[in-house]
Amino acid sequence: MELDDAYANGAYIENADSYPPRWAASAEDFRNSLHERARLDLPYGEGARQRFDLFLPEGTPKGVFVFVHGGYWLAFDKSTWSHLARGAMAHGWAVAMPSYDLCPEVRIADITRQIAAAVTRIAEEVAGPIALAGHSAGGHLVARMLDRALLPADVGARIKTVIPISPLSDLRPLLRTTMNQKFQMDSAAAIAESPVDMQDRYPADVTVWVGGEERPAFLDQAVWLVEAWEADHVIAFGKHHFNVIEPLADPESDLVMLIVN
């Protein structure tokens, strides 16, 4: 299809195939290191994938950071990203990571509702402020959480920060990719699920974060959301679509500071 190459990431990243196994190994090591402070597979819904992991800091959490993974709503689960909790946990924050059902078994709108259910359930587990960040399709999902129609008002009011990382903010271009055979979106569904068209939003601080070495389509997607929401914009120079999330594991990174401050 017309835009398949524009939204292809791995083909333009050196040794792209090496990233997922390294992520998974680092995630497993991190979970094992936490022992009882890793609470795994907590349910937020009925489905087998409607589960989240909760990683607890020493002492009472200052708040909870929710990270939502990407994979074009087609791939991955929570188990690949656990190590990215390290940065926020070092500052005394709990970190939650949900899985969700994948297309084509469900539609993107269904996944959005699942993440809203997950955030609501996570908010019951940990008091205090909520920070949200998500990568790629996860960036879309965390941006959608500011829709007042999705979250209860008491939960939405606790969201202080949202960081869509390399997000998909306008889904209309994806109608012109072969991936849409699995998304099964029409124009109305794409518009309804596009954060750029969201009007009635909770008033959290929003920073759109994107790698300087991303594909042009993702640089555009970031700008579209920045302009639609008048959000802050960070271009992480030298970072591509796969390593742009690595600073989440660094307690001293600018990305983590946005989350915890």
Side-chain angles (χ1 to χ4, degrees):
M1 290 281 283
E2 178 186 352
L3 293 181
D4 278 3
D5 184 68
Y7 284 91
N9 288 302
Y12 293 88
I13 294 172
E14 186 176 0
N15 298 319
D17 290 346
S18 70
Y19 280 85
R22 284 193 282 118
W23 290 331
S26 295
E28 183 177 14
D29 288 346
F30 182 75
R31 287 193 302 274
N32 291 340
S33 74
L34 292 178
H35 304 292
E36 70 278 357
R37 290 193 292 123
R39 298 177 59 197
L40 306 180
D41 293 318
L42 302 176
Y44 68 84
E46 297 299 323
R49 291 181 60 93
Q50 293 172 39
R51 300 286 185 271
F52 67 95
D53 292 344
L54 180 63
F55 307 120
L56 298 170
E58 300 281 2
T60 302
K62 296 178 180 178
V64 62
F65 164 46
V66 182
F67 176 77
V68 181
H69 72 81
Y72 276 122
W73 310 276
L74 297 169
F76 297 114
D77 63 27
K78 60 184 172 56
S79 67
T80 303
W81 319 97
S82 311
H83 57 296
L84 300 181
R86 183 178 289 110
M89 287 181 67
H91 292 272
W93 282 64
V95 179
M97 296 189 180
S99 293
Y100 48 84
D101 290 328
L102 301 174
C103 297
E105 283 71 25
V106 297
R107 302 293 182 266
I108 292 172
D110 298 321
I111 298 172
T112 296
R113 287 189 288 270
Q114 288 182 14
I115 295 303
V119 172
T120 302
R121 179 70 185 85
I122 291 162
E124 296 173 356
E125 288 288 333
V126 182
I130 299 169
L132 306 176
H135 177 231
S136 196
H140 158 268
L141 292 165
V142 297
R144 289 285 288 122
M145 292 304 102
L146 291 183
D147 186 337
R148 289 182 183 271
L150 286 170
L151 288 177
D154 60 332
V155 176
R158 288 171 55 188
I159 300 175
K160 74 172 192 74
T161 300
V162 176
I163 308 174
I165 303 170
S166 309
L168 292 153
S169 60
D170 188 338
L171 304 195
R172 281 165 285 200
L174 299 180
L175 296 172
R176 293 182 281 156
T177 70
T178 56
M179 289 185 292
N180 197 45
Q181 295 170 7
K182 295 183 177 180
F183 303 150
Q184 300 182 43
M185 284 191 298
D186 58 16
S187 179
I191 291 169
E193 274 299 314
S194 290
V196 292
D197 291 319
M198 287 169 51
Q199 299 299 320
D200 190 16
R201 304 189 303 271
Y202 288 112
D205 293 332
V206 178
T207 299
V208 182
W209 192 285
V210 66
E213 302 302 317
E214 300 258 11
R215 302 284 287 135
F218 278 89
L219 296 173
D220 288 344
Q221 288 273 354
V223 168
W224 296 338
L225 188 57
V226 167
E227 292 178 346
W229 288 14
E230 298 182 351
D232 290 336
H233 189 197
V234 174
I235 299 174
F237 291 100
K239 295 294 187 182
H240 54 63
H241 194 72
F242 285 6
N243 63 14
V244 68
I245 54 176
E246 291 177 353
L248 288 171
D250 178 3
E252 304 307 316
S253 72
D254 291 341
L255 183 51
V256 168
M257 291 302 171
L258 271 180
I259 292 164
V260 302
N261 289 329

